[in-house]
Amino acid sequence: MAGLEPLWPTGAFPDNFMYNLLLKPSSYTARAFRNPQLSITPGVCDYNRRDVQRVEMPASNGMATARAVATMYNAAERAINTNGKVNPLRLSKDALDRFLQPAKPGKNNGWIDEVLGIEACMGAGLMLPPPEGYRGSGRFSATPAGFGTPGAGGSFGYCDPDAEIAYSYVMNRAGQLIVDDPRDFALR
């Protein structure tokens, strides 16, 4: 496995991540990383296989060009900034409002993501800018109105309606990072 980047930029795994992944098969971490079971030792690099790329698995193997992902975020940005007058995705007012809702901490663990074991501000299925004093991932937008999501392997897409920017980074081969991949981070 030479040449693979660490799963997190620090090179260290979050507390209990490996324990949950390897020794607690019923944990959210183990269930998420082993679903679907694509090989004997499942991992993000399974998504580099052509047979896996041919199958559509929602929230798991979205395959698109950077232009297509940025176009989708640009459509959301235009719908927000024109109050729905320019709305090629036909997003409802309720959906647009949810994109702009501030993230809320979880009831039990605050900002800790139950699967990854890292701080992450999530809302409506998208990562949102963090509140003041927040230390975790998500500093991708200059304004509080931004939203986006990383993809396993290093991809990232986001929209900043205040700055009227839509951005996407995809790569030819999945790496081992989930958030703040240095290949993408250097371009932001």
Side-chain angles (χ1 to χ4, degrees):
M1 291 287 193
L4 294 177
E5 299 89 1
L7 198 56
W8 278 267
T10 62
F13 292 103
D15 292 342
N16 295 321
F17 179 82
M18 293 306 289
Y19 172 79
N20 288 335
L21 181 65
L22 300 173
L23 301 176
K24 253 180 113 179
S26 63
S27 70
Y28 289 131
T29 304
R31 290 175 18 207
F33 277 85
R34 292 191 175 135
N35 181 22
Q37 178 101 22
L38 300 172
S39 62
I40 294 171
T41 56
V44 73
C45 287
D46 285 332
Y47 293 97
N48 288 329
R49 296 180 9 211
R50 295 227 184 259
D51 62 321
V52 174
Q53 292 175 358
R54 281 192 292 271
V55 179
E56 290 184 31
M57 294 180 275
S60 178
N61 75 333
M63 302 289 171
T65 64
R67 183 179 304 256
V69 175
T71 298
M72 180 199 65
Y73 279 106
N74 178 257
E77 178 272 318
R78 289 285 76 213
I80 290 166
N81 284 329
T82 64
N83 292 321
K85 291 184 178 99
V86 178
N87 192 351
L89 297 177
R90 297 185 180 149
L91 296 167
S92 70
K93 174 79 170 117
D94 185 48
L96 294 171
D97 288 343
R98 273 189 267 145
F99 287 152
L100 303 174
Q101 290 296 314
K104 295 180 178 124
K107 291 178 184 175
N108 297 325
N109 292 326
W111 296 109
I112 302 296
D113 181 285
E114 291 286 343
V115 172
L116 301 176
I118 62 171
E119 288 186 319
C121 295
M122 299 295 289
L126 299 160
M127 190 175 278
L128 300 167
E132 289 295 320
Y134 173 82
R135 300 179 328 241
S137 182
R139 299 222 176 266
F140 55 85
S141 179
T143 65
F147 56 90
T149 191
S155 59
F156 189 73
Y158 80 94
C159 162
D160 184 336
D162 290 348
E164 297 185 9
I165 293 173
Y167 166 86
S168 176
Y169 173 81
V170 300
M171 59 285 147
N172 292 330
R173 304 280 296 170
Q176 291 293 303
L177 286 162
I178 294 177
V179 294
D180 294 338
D181 187 302
R183 299 172 293 179
D184 152 60
F185 202 73
L187 300 173
R188 286 194 249 154

